[in-house]
Amino acid sequence: MPFSKKPWLVISFIIPVFLLAFVLYKNLLNIPFGDDIYVMDVFNLFKESGSWWEKLSVLFGQHNEHRLVVTRAVALLQYWLMGFIDVRIWSILGNLSLLFMVGLFYQHIGEQKWWIISIAFVIICTASNTLMPMQNSNLFTVVFGLATLHFVLKKTPKADFLTFLCTFLSIFSNSGGLALLIIVSGVLFFQKRYQLLALWLFYSGIIVVGYYWNYEPLYRHPSSELLFKQLSRAIIFFIAFAGSIGFKILPTGFLFIMLAGIALYRKYYLQNPFVFLVVIYCLMMAGMTTIKRYEYGIESAITERYRIYSMIFASCSLIMIHDFLSGYSATIQKTAFGIGLIAAIAVNLKFFIPMVRETEARKKLLISKIENYYLNNSGYNCFEVNILNKITNNNFYHYQLPEPLHDKTFYAGINHFPVKVIKLRINQAYQTGESLIIRGTIINPKPQLTYLDKIVHQFIILHPSDTPFDCSQNELTHPQNAKSVIVNIDLNNERMGMEFPDFFIKLPKKLFREKKYTLSFLFMTDISVNHPPLTSNVTFQL
């Protein structure tokens, strides 16, 4: 049923697009927000690099656990075409991925095409990274992932080429695309396309070797070593990840997973192979993320950057319900469609309404951060300030402030940090064959401890004693470094059953390339204040 034969279908499909566009229009400012600044650093690195090989290394360089080639390429292309940095363009391009996702589902929805309306309300939604320019990497990896699963079923030379290409683009948008290597291998095996499978396995080997070439594992993130001891916590994370789009997160996730189990039992892969593969993809992403992040808790599982997978899972669930009911009466099918549509619209409005209500507060926060930066060289954390300073000096970016919100004196007041130095008592310090272990306590006066305890992000920095920590290297997102090592206090303390002001450090000895190190601390907030690194009274020698 082409859209042209049902004008109401076109109109209904446009509504979620209009809602998304309205949110973007109301909210977007050309101001970097959080990790966007780290993507902007690619411009500095490109200018500092000499040969094209060095520039290529910058493009493919590691960002946390990912290689954000597509996002960086989009940023560079936008600058090349327009001559200036505009992070709003990055957000818009990322959100266009949502339209392509709906288009892919439309081709695999069966005869009753009107079910696409519910899917459109779920996917073309302000739930996932809508206002975060840098986070379009998550949207890119999913749209290219779905395209891979679409083309691998086509069995034509053109589709085979696009399968290989979209897999590459998905993996080098965000590491989640690596799941496609396993899924496509299984599809080609069951299709009995053994020659193509051999070529695919060779291609997969090249991709894996290329991705992990000079790759540095992140010591700052949780490992899976306690997975079996904390299995219940991991299961809850898994279910929450799957159901983060819902009003009741855990019941929603359980429902989606139950439908996936029914689909497997009913051999749904014979009825709708594309949707079945997408469900497997979502389950694999939930599993991979759980293993890597479950210790961060349920709040991490439902964050915006992961919610796109729940949106896709919800869309698959709607199509599975549609297909499961294909043999039932028209009344039952229409009732199911009506319930699904109401639920989809409700989910869309759940995220749309806060986005509209909080527009002015968000704009004020962003403008305050950049205004504080211009007036006091503050507003962002010390890594971000360093990047922005380079970008400004290189004439890549400068935001034109509207009517000032506050004066320099106001920001100078809130930038005041009552703690000048951290005093420590080391309770235990020793080395094992592979690790360095330190337990200690911050012994500053109680009012200072109370102040520090309320700060959102708390880090310990271990750096060479002859090189004071100065934020000159982006340690938070680039794990390859020869200068300092950063430890998340909250995460380590939780694993050991400790609380601030106590702290625990356990790090691989291979990270320490110097003889003598100093402990410093970094306290960061999400508001327009930048607290400077604080040195401590402790040094140690390996």
Side-chain angles (χ1 to χ4, degrees):
M1 180 182 63
F3 276 175
S4 59
K5 294 183 179 181
K6 294 286 184 179
W8 61 267
L9 187 58
V10 179
I11 295 172
S12 300
F13 184 82
I14 288 174
I15 292 175
V17 176
F18 170 79
L19 295 177
L20 176 62
F22 182 74
V23 166
L24 293 177
Y25 170 75
K26 290 284 288 182
N27 281 272
L28 287 188
L29 293 170
N30 188 22
I31 300 177
F33 184 80
D35 279 358
D36 309 332
I37 296 175
Y38 299 127
V39 172
M40 293 170 74
D41 196 29
V42 74
F43 298 97
N44 296 324
L45 297 174
F46 252 59
K47 183 171 183 178
E48 293 167 2
S49 59
S51 66
W52 280 104
W53 177 255
E54 290 177 341
K55 294 182 185 299
L56 197 64
S57 298
V58 169
L59 189 64
F60 281 82
Q62 192 176 339
H63 178 101
N64 279 331
E65 296 161 300
H66 315 297
R67 299 193 186 274
L68 308 181
V69 180
V70 175
T71 296
R72 288 170 174 164
V74 166
L76 291 167
L77 178 63
Q78 179 264 313
Y79 180 79
W80 181 68
L81 292 174
M82 301 177 65
F84 55 90
I85 294 174
D86 193 332
V87 296
R88 294 170 296 184
I89 301 297
W90 307 354
S91 287
I92 292 170
L93 291 175
N95 282 283
L96 284 176
S97 300
L98 303 175
L99 303 181
F100 287 101
M101 292 178 203
V102 174
L104 288 168
F105 275 114
Y106 180 78
Q107 298 180 56
H108 296 275
I109 204 169
E111 294 297 324
Q112 297 174 330
K113 295 294 188 184
W114 57 81
W115 280 71
I116 197 64
I117 302 172
S118 301
I119 294 170
F121 272 100
V122 171
I123 293 182
I124 306 173
C125 175
T126 57
S128 180
N129 302 317
T130 304
L131 304 177
M132 298 183 183
M134 175 268 178
Q135 295 290 353
N136 59 25
S137 61
N138 294 280
L139 302 181
F140 288 152
T141 196
V142 173
V143 71
F144 288 124
L146 298 189
T148 296
L149 302 177
H150 168 78
F151 289 120
V152 75
L153 298 171
K154 293 296 183 181
K155 298 183 182 180
T156 65
K158 180 180 178 181
D160 292 341
F161 169 78
L162 291 173
T163 298
F164 281 66
L165 176 62
C166 289
T167 299
F168 175 88
L169 294 174
S170 179
I171 291 171
F172 286 96
S173 295
N174 192 290
S175 58
L178 290 166
L180 297 169
L181 300 179
I182 299 173
I183 297 175
V184 173
S185 297
V187 172
L188 295 177
F189 176 80
F190 286 109
Q191 289 177 340
K192 298 182 179 180
R193 304 172 73 189
Y194 299 124
Q195 288 185 337
L196 186 61
L197 174 59
L199 180 60
W200 174 260
L201 292 175
F202 177 73
Y203 176 74
S204 298
I206 294 175
I207 291 290
V208 171
V209 170
Y211 192 91
Y212 288 102
W213 189 265
N214 288 330
Y215 183 88
E216 185 72 30
L218 281 190
Y219 57 85
R220 288 190 303 276
H221 285 338
S223 65
S224 57
E225 63 187 62
L226 299 178
L227 179 61
F228 292 105
K229 292 182 180 179
Q230 301 178 346
L231 193 57
S232 60
R233 187 174 183 179
I235 291 172
I236 291 174
F237 186 101
F238 182 89
I239 296 172
F241 183 97
S244 63
I245 192 72
F247 288 91
K248 297 293 184 179
I249 294 165
L250 292 178
T252 302
F254 182 79
L255 173 64
F256 292 166
I257 294 168
M258 182 183 68
L259 287 171
I262 294 172
L264 182 63
Y265 175 77
R266 295 181 56 165
K267 298 182 179 180
Y268 184 67
Y269 46 83
L270 299 176
Q271 184 177 0
N272 196 327
F274 172 77
V275 173
F276 181 81
L277 292 178
V278 175
V279 168
I280 297 300
Y281 175 61
C282 291
L283 289 172
M284 289 185 68
M285 288 307 306
M288 292 166 60
T289 308
T290 297
I291 291 172
K292 292 282 189 178
R293 298 286 189 273
Y294 76 91
E295 285 191 80
Y296 283 131
I298 195 170
E299 292 301 318
S300 176
I302 63 176
T303 52
E304 280 193 76
R305 65 182 181 274
Y306 297 142
R307 206 174 285 144
I308 182 62
Y309 296 102
S310 184
M311 295 158 69
I312 296 299
F313 213 158
S315 301
C316 290
S317 297
L318 286 169
I319 297 178
M320 285 191 292
I321 291 171
H322 163 266
D323 291 341
F324 292 162
L325 297 177
S326 60
Y328 289 78
S329 67
T331 301
I332 292 177
Q333 294 182 44
K334 289 180 180 178
T335 301
F337 168 74
I339 295 172
L341 179 60
I342 292 171
I345 293 174
V347 164
N348 192 295
L349 294 178
K350 169 190 173 183
F351 297 99
F352 170 80
I353 292 172
M355 286 285 189
V356 175
R357 286 179 175 173
E358 298 167 7
T359 296
E360 293 306 315
R362 180 181 178 275
K363 286 184 176 180
K364 185 175 181 180
L365 171 64
L366 289 177
I367 294 173
S368 295
K369 288 170 75 75
I370 201 73
E371 188 175 66
N372 193 6
Y373 164 69
Y374 285 139
L375 293 175
N376 296 282
N377 202 40
S378 186
Y380 296 90
N381 70 56
C382 61
F383 301 106
E384 296 166 342
V385 166
N386 181 66
I387 294 171
L388 284 172
N389 287 342
K390 284 187 178 180
I391 288 174
T392 302
N393 293 336
N394 291 328
N395 295 317
F396 289 124
Y397 173 84
H398 188 88
Y399 179 75
Q400 296 298 318
L401 288 169
E403 187 73 19
L405 294 178
H406 305 286
D407 59 19
K408 186 180 178 73
T409 306
F410 170 83
Y411 291 110
I414 64 173
N415 290 336
H416 175 70
F417 199 42
V419 185
K420 302 301 180 184
V421 66
I422 297 291
K423 296 181 180 180
L424 304 178
R425 180 181 68 243
I426 301 301
N427 303 318
Q428 194 177 38
Y430 62 95
Q431 302 179 54
T432 64
E434 297 181 350
S435 301
L436 168 70
I437 298 172
I438 301 175
R439 296 173 187 260
T441 304
I442 303 175
I443 57 173
N444 284 54
K446 189 173 181 179
Q448 294 184 4
L449 293 178
T450 302
Y451 182 89
L452 295 174
D453 192 29
K454 293 179 180 179
I455 296 179
V456 179
H457 307 291
Q458 304 170 337
F459 297 96
I460 301 173
I461 309 159
L462 296 85
H463 58 92
S465 295
D466 59 351
T467 310
F469 183 74
D470 60 1
C471 296
S472 63
Q473 188 172 352
N474 180 6
E475 310 287 356
L476 284 182
T477 58
H478 292 69
Q480 295 101 338
N481 68 80
K483 289 188 175 182
S484 58
V485 184
I486 298 179
V487 177
N488 184 316
I489 296 178
D490 286 340
L491 179 62
N492 280 0
N493 281 1
E494 185 177 359
R495 297 188 72 177
M496 299 303 297
M498 300 166 58
E499 294 184 356
F500 188 88
D502 294 334
F503 63 88
F504 173 80
I505 300 170
K506 181 180 179 181
L507 292 168
K509 285 200 305 188
K510 66 179 182 180
L511 297 174
F512 299 95
R513 305 167 188 177
E514 305 293 332
K515 290 291 185 181
K516 194 173 182 181
Y517 282 83
T518 297
L519 292 182
S520 293
F521 286 73
L522 187 61
F523 296 88
M524 302 189 306
T525 71
D526 293 325
I527 59 176
S528 54
V529 180
N530 167 35
H531 296 318
L534 299 173
T535 58
S536 79
N537 58 322
V538 170
T539 61
F540 64 91
Q541 188 166 339
L542 294 176

